Amino acid sequence: MDTVNYGLIGCGMMGREHILNINLLPQGRVSVVYDPVAELAESAATLAENAHVAGSIDALLAFENLDAVVIVSPNYLHVQQLQQIVATRPLPILCEKPLYTDPADAPVLEALFKDYPHPVWVAMEYRYMPPVAALIAQAEQATGGIKMLTIREHRFPFLPKIGDWNRFNAKTGGTLVEKCCHFFDLMRLILQDEPVRVMASAGQSLNHIDERYDGEAPDIWDNGYVILDFAKGARAMLELCMFAEGSKYQEEISAVGPKGKIEALVPGPGRFWPQLLGAPPVPQMIISPRAPKGPYVSEIPVDPTLLEAGDHNGSTFYQHQRFNAVVRGEGEVEVTLADGARAVAIGMAAQESARTGQAVTL
């Protein structure tokens, strides 16, 4: 296969980011798009350099020139759309996170994809941010074996979405699923281990409190702490604050072990950086050995073309590059359905712990 022809389900902000990054692939093009909001679909088709606009998901799946499907719809629609693809036209799939929002869907998806003949990739693109990838590659050597892992995200509030679906736990799975499954995936990957216990404190302190949608008040949380105990003895912590968009760096990851500490500092979307402050920050990796003491700071710049193609420090491109290769028969899926399901399960355990005040055993 010389070129992978993609069908895109969902043409909102993140859908456009997927299109821009697929456009950069020499062996990829978006051939057909679908969104229930016609204006979004038409705009996305133009962005994809004259893709066909399908009037329904069935029409998209019936489009002849189609090799893979990318699901970029609201969280609560993922499962039914995955079922529709499997039943109608089984193809390679890249599905945005979270994989599901209802715990009852976990066994449904496991059964659905048992013996599925095509690759399915869950979009955990944070793995592929260049500073995060550098930390992952060097963490074991820098730390001598990680004992403590901390991920801090200080960022902007949830952005407006079509239909305001991201204001409610019922449609998102809750903040610790919707937003934070990325970080639980990173913890599992960095530590090469599974958590056995989760403790969380989280809530809605500032954001969306005065908003109303069809008379309903948003219940989505905007801050929290999550502590995880891992099977081999490491501890990990997530600190999330969604009213801290004034921060220089959006994500800060640190891993510490007997030999020292390694950190990755990742700025937020460049389009949110105030021009009056000059150029946006450059990602950094910092290695701080215990002896002789450091720290040693390395800048890890991201290709400006990739920065212009989205809000995730180039990671969406690197993710698509790998998925594209898998669809063409090169390489293997790196973020499996099991990875996606496990990240959601951890997020749901964290949501439960924060609601009840009790630790949750996994």
Side-chain angles (χ1 to χ4, degrees):
M1 183 186 300
D2 293 329
T3 300
V4 177
N5 293 285
Y6 296 84
L8 191 83
I9 299 174
C11 300
M13 183 187 70
M14 194 63 202
R16 295 176 69 84
E17 180 167 327
H18 280 283
I19 291 171
L20 287 169
N21 283 277
I22 292 169
N23 284 351
L24 295 174
L25 296 172
Q27 293 169 296
R29 64 182 291 268
V30 176
S31 60
V32 56
V33 301
Y34 166 73
D35 195 286
V37 180
E39 295 83 2
L40 287 179
E42 293 287 351
S43 177
T46 301
L47 188 67
E49 300 171 4
N50 299 314
H52 175 74
V53 177
S56 66
I57 293 177
D58 280 335
L60 179 143
L61 293 173
F63 190 72
E64 183 178 358
N65 202 15
L66 180 64
D67 303 308
V69 180
V70 182
I71 296 176
V72 206
S73 56
N75 300 357
Y76 65 98
L77 298 175
H78 293 174
V79 172
Q80 68 187 65
Q81 291 169 352
L82 288 167
Q83 290 172 320
Q84 191 170 357
I85 294 166
V86 172
T88 305
R89 186 177 175 184
L91 287 166
I93 301 168
L94 188 148
C95 182
E96 264 297 342
K97 60 76 196 167
L99 191 56
Y100 61 90
T101 57
D102 182 343
D105 286 329
V108 171
L109 288 175
E110 187 174 358
L112 181 69
F113 286 103
K114 188 176 186 294
D115 302 322
Y116 190 69
H118 301 287
V120 182
W121 187 301
V122 182
M124 297 290 192
E125 72 272 4
Y126 280 42
R127 294 178 174 214
Y128 304 108
M129 291 179 174
V132 177
L135 180 144
I136 293 168
Q138 300 184 49
E140 184 67 23
Q141 181 179 1
T143 64
I146 300 168
K147 302 302 180 185
M148 298 182 71
L149 174 65
T150 302
I151 299 178
R152 181 168 79 171
E153 182 173 67
H154 282 191
R155 56 161 281 167
F156 49 92
F158 282 117
L159 297 172
K161 298 282 187 181
I162 298 294
D164 307 302
W165 64 269
N166 66 340
R167 297 301 197 255
F168 298 95
N169 291 331
K171 291 186 174 180
T172 64
T175 299
L176 300 182
V177 171
E178 202 290 331
K179 185 75 205 67
C180 301
C181 62
H182 273 306
F183 303 124
F184 302 133
D185 176 67
L186 279 180
M187 289 174 180
R188 293 179 62 245
L189 178 65
I190 293 168
L191 294 173
Q192 291 292 293
D193 197 7
E194 297 292 345
V196 295
R197 187 171 68 152
V198 177
M199 296 160 280
S201 175
Q204 183 184 18
S205 298
L206 291 177
N207 296 347
H208 320 304
I209 289 174
D210 296 327
E211 298 173 8
R212 295 294 181 272
Y213 302 95
D214 296 326
E216 296 290 325
D219 60 358
I220 198 77
W221 296 345
D222 57 21
N223 70 102
Y225 294 99
V226 183
I227 298 174
L228 302 93
D229 292 332
F230 277 77
K232 298 175 186 175
R235 294 179 178 87
M237 186 181 78
L238 170 68
E239 176 187 329
L240 174 72
C241 180
M242 298 189 68
F243 40 88
E245 61 267 40
S247 304
K248 182 176 182 180
Y249 293 103
Q250 181 167 290
E251 287 89 25
E252 301 181 16
I253 304 175
S254 70
V256 189
K259 286 177 59 177
K261 177 170 73 170
I262 185 169
E263 299 169 89
L265 308 180
V266 186
R271 63 191 175 102
F272 293 155
W273 186 256
Q275 290 187 353
L276 61 88
L277 297 179
V282 176
Q284 292 185 349
M285 184 177 68
I286 306 168
I287 297 178
S288 304
R290 296 178 71 186
K293 292 182 179 179
Y296 302 99
V297 180
S298 303
E299 289 194 340
I300 304 181
V302 179
D303 185 333
T305 302
L306 303 187
L307 290 176
E308 290 175 8
D311 288 340
H312 296 88
N313 280 271
S315 60
T316 302
F317 172 78
Y318 295 119
Q319 171 181 260
H320 269 295
Q321 194 176 50
R322 287 164 167 80
F323 177 67
N324 182 275
V326 171
V327 175
R328 291 184 289 104
E330 302 172 7
E332 297 182 355
V333 173
E334 296 178 13
V335 192
T336 65
L337 283 161
D339 290 324
R342 189 63 175 157
V344 170
I346 297 167
M348 288 181 169
Q351 290 277 140
E352 181 183 350
S353 177
R355 281 194 304 266
T356 64
Q358 302 296 314
V360 175
T361 300
L362 293 166

